[in-house]
Amino acid sequence: MRAGGYWILATDFHVHGFPGDGALVPWLLRDEAARAGLDAFVLTNHNRVSTGRMARRLAADTPGPIVIVGQEITARGFHIAAAGLEERVDWRHGAAAAIRAVHAQGGVAIAAHPSRDYRMGWDDAALALVDGYERAHPSMRAPENAADFAAFGARAAALHPHVAAIGSSDFHNGLSPGACRTWVLARERSAAGILEAVRAGMTVAVGIDGDLYGNAEALRIVRLAHPPIPESRRATAWSRASVAAVAIGLLLLAVL
Ligand SMILES: [Zn+2]
Ligand SMILES: [Zn+2]
């Protein structure tokens, strides 16, 4: 979909895959992403890029969502969904150093689920450097988390006015990729175009109930275009029941 001279690309910047910490192998993940109506997703396993690189290689030259290599830089006090990497980023030297390492590779850094449990590591140096933050994430169903994400965004915007509002599913299993997503206003329909739009803050985060967050200009363009949000992004009673059944099964396995 195009509007205002931009491509509007449905992107999920925070998806986990197998091997690693997600349930789905790369080709099934891409099928699920296509089913959810995504144009692109970033594979962000915890502190590794190998599965993302494999996913990108397998996706090359076949139709379907754009696959971007990333890493969830995972440390005590912060998680960062980094997009546009080739090599693993060291997570041991603080958030600002990690973001500089992401930028050195040409990538963008997004503060992941910045609720109070994950923001101790965010000092002003890191906030001034970060390219985006998760304004929408499935954990926003808890009102205190939604309030924390908004407060984090206000703090970051004071230091970095173009910080991008991002919506991500943090998919491991259950729900679906794109459960929360981002409308990216990109000048070109490519991984590079998506990263450039994040740097420019031209994004709109889509919340778990379809609510929109972003800067006034990006919101205006998206509202004009009114892109559709597939129903599959919503958790159905069956998907909740199946997640609950897995949890109960694991519990029984542990107890018995
Ligand atoms: Zn995380
Ligand atoms: Zn994650």
Side-chain angles (χ1 to χ4, degrees), residues 55-95:
R56 182 181 58 185
R57 196 162 54 242
L58 292 169
D61 305 323
T62 57
I66 297 166
V67 178
I68 299 173
V69 181
Q71 172 186 343
E72 183 168 5
I73 305 169
T74 309
R76 192 193 295 271
F78 68 89
H79 287 191
I80 293 171
L85 299 181
E86 292 299 327
E87 303 297 333
R88 175 159 67 171
V89 169
D90 195 332
W91 60 93
R92 293 168 296 188
H93 305 299

Side-chain angles (χ1 to χ4, degrees), residues 14 16 44 46 72 79 113 170 172:
H14 185 167
H16 296 270
T44 53
H46 292 287
E72 183 168 5
H79 287 191
H113 45 75
D170 200 355
H172 290 260

Side-chain angles (χ1 to χ4, degrees), residues 106-132:
V108 298
I110 295 160
H113 45 75
S115 60
R116 60 202 62 192
D117 295 338
Y118 295 96
R119 69 182 181 202
M120 290 84 77
W122 288 96
D123 55 14
D124 283 358
L127 286 168
L129 287 169
V130 76
D131 301 285

Side-chain angles (χ1 to χ4, degrees), residues 113-115 133-137 139-140 145-154:
H113 45 75
S115 60
Y133 72 102
E134 285 177 355
R135 180 61 184 83
H137 179 276
S139 68
M140 72 191 294
N145 286 338
D148 282 356
F149 300 162
F152 184 94

